Amino acid sequence: MTNTNLNRRRFLQYAAAIPGFAFTESNKLNKTPNSAFKADVEIALTAQMTEVSILPGANTRVLKYTGKLLKGPSGTLKELPSYLGPVLNFEQGQKVRIFFYNQIPEPCVTHWHGMHVPQIMDGHPMYAINQGEQYVYEFEVKNPAGTNWYHSHTHEVTARQVYQGLAGLITITDEIERKLDLPSDEYDIPLIIQDRTFTSGNQLHYALNMHQRMQGFLGDTILANGRRNHVVPVKTRAYRLRILNGSNSRIYKLGWSDGSPLTIIGTDGGLLEKPQTFPYIMLAPAERVELWVDFSGRKPGSELALQTLSYQGFSMRMGGGMGMGSNTMDQGNKGTIVKFAITKQVSDSPRLPDTLVPIHRFTAKDASNPDIVVPIAIGMRRMTFNLNGRTFDMLDYTNQEKIPVNTVQRIRISNINPGIGGGGGMGGGMRGGRGGGMMGMIMAQPHPIHLHGQQFQILSRKPGHADSAYAAIKDGFINSGWKDTVLVMPGEEVEIIKPFTDYTGLFLYHCHNLEHEDMGMMRNFFVS
């Protein structure tokens, strides 16, 4: 049977298994454009194998998104000189058509992370296409101004495909943002942070032992926009810095090298109501943050570094093949991410606005049924992380995962396991609580939980431990604004509130530690 026939058969089986899921075979496969969809922007996006220069010496073999603008404003695509895909610059209200071509020798599907789009356009793994095939994404940009991203979401190989390069940034602008006169063009800097490990021949190393599967893969080299030891030349004025943690599993504690506070103007789902300052920021995989950075008053020739600061990370040293290896940079180690070199004195600079965008702040009473709380319980069984006691099955959902469309839901994410015991913090199980043993050590991990579809708001965060390890990170959580990913620490319960409007179908929720996702720490909500 050909790959095309296998795909057709698979889609028919999937559709038949989902109650009320109307479709035609042609639009289910999305091989051709919908003539009724009048696109403002058309892009050809190809996933392919190539070689790029990352480190001095031999080129590195990578997987890479390449893009070509077919229709739309000239600034829609911005190439980054690295293995990363082009930055896609959209405007709210635009209708976007993306011709996605898979030229890598395995199935692939692309997820538009943070975007509010229909199920068939969201990049669910069931829509993966084979090498040589095309998938046509068509959606209206409903999100407000902000920073999102796109990446591979292929079943059981998401971690490896993203690690090898299949990721890129999305920016969105709207009328409200434009009136704020925020730094733009060369003063609006994207920054994608990733950690990688290279062989002596400059090739990406990705091989998982049991410990790396359980903790997540950690590289020994931090890259910013695909570059090691990246230096960005800046002028003595204000900049907008859009930061994405594009790492597989590394959690960064972001801070300035001189101890200056960080000024936050946006998070995953867009701009905040007003700027906020933090001493540092905890940024988990898939999370985004937007900073206002003002280099005014700094002398040309000086530098300011954005660092990941030290904190007590989860790190097992089990021996017998369980260790990470001597070259690995453990979770929580200090390191420089990027340096900003002040190269030119200028006198003009925009002023930081006192207010940014209006946000309707939800309370628990705004839920469609305030007495019902949808659970997302982080657990483990048979050395595999799970959610609500279950691992991923392509079409599986339970009664508690059925969500009525056009409702607002309270959701409680709990990272509480009776086997952990005391000790707490990010590595509480390491210090031997009541649960003790290897299971407790493995379980006591933070998990970045991502929900597909619309953004959500955080209602409350209840820490399970109040030790020094937690105290050293607790002031770095951004609990305001709109989010699509939240870091849930060991022992914590985080309650969120999330709209489920406009679209029906299967929408994923999962851990964005990509090794955990590939192990099956992912489930479906069925919105109907």
Side-chain angles (χ1 to χ4, degrees), residues 213-214 383-385 391 514-521:
R213 290 181 186 276
M214 302 309 298
M383 297 298 288
T384 300
F385 290 109
T391 52
L514 295 183
E515 281 71 38
H516 293 176
E517 174 187 326
D518 283 351
M519 290 172 64
M521 196 176 177

Side-chain angles (χ1 to χ4, degrees), residues 76-328:
T76 300
L77 265 66
K78 179 182 178 182
E79 296 290 341
L80 291 177
S82 72
Y83 57 82
L84 292 160
V87 178
L88 307 181
N89 300 308
F90 296 145
E91 296 182 17
Q92 187 182 50
Q94 280 182 331
K95 291 187 176 181
V96 176
R97 175 179 289 129
I98 298 174
F99 297 91
F100 173 56
Y101 303 96
N102 180 19
Q103 294 298 337
I104 66 173
E106 59 187 12
C108 188
V109 64
T110 298
H111 168 50
W112 313 99
H113 187 121
M115 303 291 286
H116 179 37
V117 298
Q119 176 210 260
I120 197 170
M121 305 302 171
D122 187 49
H124 193 287
M126 68 171 143
Y127 298 114
I129 59 174
N130 293 308
Q131 184 178 27
E133 294 184 336
Q134 169 183 281
Y135 196 96
V136 182
Y137 294 97
E138 295 168 328
F139 53 83
E140 180 181 346
V141 179
K142 294 191 173 185
N143 294 61
T147 305
N148 296 307
W149 64 306
Y150 61 100
H151 60 82
S152 165
H153 214 301
T154 314
H155 184 41
E156 296 182 334
V157 292
T158 294
R160 178 172 53 78
Q161 289 186 351
V162 172
Y163 183 85
Q164 291 178 308
L166 290 184
L169 205 67
I170 298 172
T171 75
I172 301 170
T173 187
D174 61 18
E175 286 297 329
I176 298 177
E177 179 201 50
R178 281 191 281 268
K179 293 178 181 178
L180 294 172
D181 192 29
L182 298 175
S184 59
D185 300 322
E186 66 175 294
Y187 308 113
D188 184 349
I189 301 176
L191 186 67
I192 303 173
I193 307 172
Q194 297 172 309
D195 59 331
R196 298 291 186 262
T197 294
F198 295 88
T199 68
S200 58
N202 285 355
Q203 300 311 306
L204 288 169
H205 172 74
Y206 186 76
L208 300 177
N209 58 30
M210 176 59 75
H211 173 254
Q212 290 163 326
R213 290 181 186 276
M214 302 309 298
Q215 177 176 274
F217 190 91
L218 297 172
D220 58 18
T221 301
I222 295 180
L223 303 178
N225 291 347
R227 298 177 179 179
R228 185 182 64 172
N229 301 325
H230 189 28
V231 179
V232 179
V234 294
K235 302 173 184 177
T236 55
R237 56 153 290 155
Y239 285 75
R240 179 181 187 175
L241 184 60
R242 303 173 186 259
I243 305 176
L244 159 68
N245 182 351
S247 297
N248 280 30
S249 68
R250 185 174 297 281
I251 301 164
Y252 299 93
K253 182 180 179 180
L254 300 180
W256 292 117
S257 55
D258 65 355
S260 300
L262 298 99
T263 301
I264 315 302
I265 60 172
T267 184
D268 302 348
L271 296 172
L272 298 174
E273 286 185 289
K274 59 182 180 179
Q276 299 180 24
T277 57
F278 286 74
Y280 55 85
I281 298 167
M282 300 303 297
L283 199 70
E287 286 188 303
R288 286 88 67 205
V289 66
E290 296 193 24
L291 304 184
W292 177 281
V293 188
D294 196 343
F295 299 102
S296 300
R298 296 184 181 270
K299 295 180 179 179
S302 64
E303 288 185 337
L304 180 67
L306 182 66
Q307 299 178 326
T308 180
L309 307 177
S310 61
Y311 64 92
Q312 184 175 319
F314 178 85
S315 177
M316 291 193 302
R317 291 291 179 187
M318 299 296 296
M322 289 294 289
M324 291 288 291
S326 59
N327 294 327
T328 298

Side-chain angles (χ1 to χ4, degrees), residues 42 48 108 125 183 205 250 279 373-374 433 492 522:
E42 290 189 344
Q48 62 185 38
C108 188
H205 172 74
R250 185 174 297 281
V373 180
V374 179
E492 270 195 328
M522 180 163 65

